[in-house]
Amino acid sequence: MDPRTEIALRTGNRMPVMGVGTWQLTNDTAGTIEAALELGYRMIDTSGDYGTQPGIAEGIKRSGIERGAFYLVTKVEEVGDAYQATRRNLDELQLDHVDLMLIHRPPKTGPGEDLWRGLMRAKEEGLTRDIGVSNYSTDLIDALIDATGEVPTVNQIEWSPFGYSEDMLRYATERHIVIQAYSPLTRTKRLRNEALAEIAAKYNKSPAQVLIRWNLRRATVPLPKANQRRHLEENINVFDFEISEGDMEILNGLNEHYSSLGTLPYV
Ligand SMILES: NC(=O)c1ccc[n+]([C@@H]2O[C@H](COP(=O)([O-])OP(=O)(O)OC[C@H]3O[C@@H](n4cnc5c(N)ncnc54)[C@H](OP(=O)(O)O)[C@@H]3O)[C@@H](O)[C@H]2O)c1
């Protein structure tokens, strides 16, 4: 496995096993994206509301990478017209299509069938290759499927050994929905955890690298964000070690449904 390794999605399309996050990537977005692509990252996660899409477009251009060689994920907000928002995102990204378009979060009023139909139209017209959701519970995903028959390809949710759900993983696996793990480094809040640090020392890796590898081992797709080049390098240098079964059990046992953002919306 390496950062270019891909997993098969329910639609037959393919997605890299990890990506780079860009929320609050305010310090030189273009330079960071150019560096990430040079280091070997092949998936970029953004959103219409991060303010990073123009910088990502610039970073992609500077890198000279071909369109087929990288995977772009972006999101529409829970209010407004999802189809039009998709078009706006493409304009900012200076792309004719993205690989994955997500509903950023469920609207307060329900699962967001209209948003979902907007994304279905965007997919039919080739503006995005796949569509999915973010911050959705299993009940809300069921409601979308019941209303439209269209199963999301991905649910992007906060996910780390400190905060995850076996029920959600089982549900997603059964329906061939990929879990993308956001805030996989707990936004640094749990990097000093003692059990994590002990495991990291054993493999001569950093706590952040162990958190990323934990995801890869469970076939969930981590999206660590890093502004600093040394962090970008560290986070992609995770393909030369394997966490043992015993250590995976210890890591799995750290679950406290922790959220660095408040609550896990899917638990
Ligand atoms: N769908 C959603 O609702 C949603 C919500 C939140 C996040 N996301 C996505 O998921 C991505 C990742 O989540 P996140 O940004 O919340 O948090 P994160 O990736 O868990 O943590 C980012 C923080 O960790 C630091 N860091 C990165 N690598 C490190 C390392 N090797 N050692 C120590 N510290 C390190 C970064 O510092 P520097 O930046 O200084 O390098 C930054 O402060 C986001 O950028 C976004 O794309 C999606």
Side-chain angles (χ1 to χ4, degrees):
M1 209 194 318
D2 66 38
R4 289 178 175 79
T5 303
E6 294 178 328
I7 54 171
L9 304 176
R10 64 189 324 285
T11 53
N13 294 325
R14 301 178 74 78
M15 169 194 285
V17 288
M18 72 177 286
V20 62
T22 68
W23 183 35
Q24 298 178 335
L25 186 58
T26 44
N27 175 15
D28 186 14
T29 306
T32 303
I33 291 304
E34 186 183 8
L37 291 171
E38 179 210 317
L39 288 168
Y41 288 86
R42 284 297 172 265
M43 175 158 55
I44 302 163
D45 178 69
T46 184
S47 175
D49 71 348
Y50 289 177
T52 51
Q53 294 189 132
I56 290 170
E58 176 61 25
I60 289 169
K61 210 175 291 171
R62 282 192 212 161
S63 77
I65 192 169
E66 285 177 24
R67 177 65 190 92
F70 68 91
Y71 191 102
L72 208 304
V73 187
T74 187
K75 313 180 191 86
V76 299
E77 301 313 306
E78 67 275 27
V79 288
D81 181 328
Y83 175 80
Q84 293 304 336
T86 299
R87 288 205 159 277
R88 279 198 301 278
N89 283 346
L90 290 176
D91 283 349
E92 282 195 5
L93 288 162
Q94 298 176 42
L95 296 175
D96 64 2
H97 74 279
V98 290
D99 298 281
L100 178 64
M101 184 67 72
L102 307 176
I103 300 176
H104 203 157
R105 50 188 85 74
K108 288 198 171 64
T109 49
E113 295 99 325
D114 288 348
L115 294 166
W116 195 230
R117 289 201 175 88
L119 290 195
M120 287 165 66
R121 179 179 167 205
K123 187 172 104 168
E124 273 160 30
E125 292 186 16
L127 306 183
T128 180
R129 298 183 75 202
D130 279 296
I131 57 177
V133 294
S134 178
N135 297 304
Y136 270 60
S137 65
T138 57
D139 284 352
L140 286 172
I141 296 175
D142 278 342
L144 274 192
I145 299 172
D146 287 348
T148 63
E150 178 86 12
V151 181
T153 302
V154 161
N155 189 18
Q156 186 183 114
I157 44 184
E158 185 170 358
W159 196 266
S160 78
F162 302 97
Y164 69 94
S165 153
E166 292 292 356
D167 288 345
M168 173 58 85
L169 186 59
R170 202 172 310 113
Y171 172 92
T173 306
E174 280 167 13
R175 287 157 187 78
H176 206 150
I177 297 170
V178 170
I179 290 179
Q180 284 191 332
Y182 79 63
S183 308
L185 309 179
T186 67
R187 301 180 64 74
T188 74
K189 301 291 193 315
R190 287 289 187 275
L191 292 183
R192 289 172 189 275
N193 173 276
E194 212 173 301
L196 174 62
E198 266 177 34
I199 291 174
K202 191 163 145 185
Y203 295 96
N204 207 12
K205 288 285 175 183
S206 71
Q209 288 170 320
V210 170
L211 294 182
I212 294 166
R213 189 74 212 188
W214 173 83
N215 270 293
L216 297 175
R217 181 73 194 268
R218 291 169 56 106
T220 49
V221 175
L223 303 168
K225 173 259 179 183
N227 226 142
Q228 301 176 54
R229 190 182 168 99
R230 70 186 170 93
H231 285 161
L232 279 177
E233 283 178 14
E234 186 177 310
N235 297 346
I236 205 171
N237 181 17
V238 291
F239 294 95
D240 58 354
F241 78 115
E242 187 74 63
I243 304 173
S244 72
E245 282 295 335
D247 289 334
M248 282 300 288
E249 265 175 45
I250 294 171
L251 291 168
N252 291 340
L254 297 175
N255 193 12
E256 46 174 304
H257 294 148
Y258 173 75
S259 166
S260 59
L261 296 172
T263 52
L264 296 179
Y266 56 88
V267 171

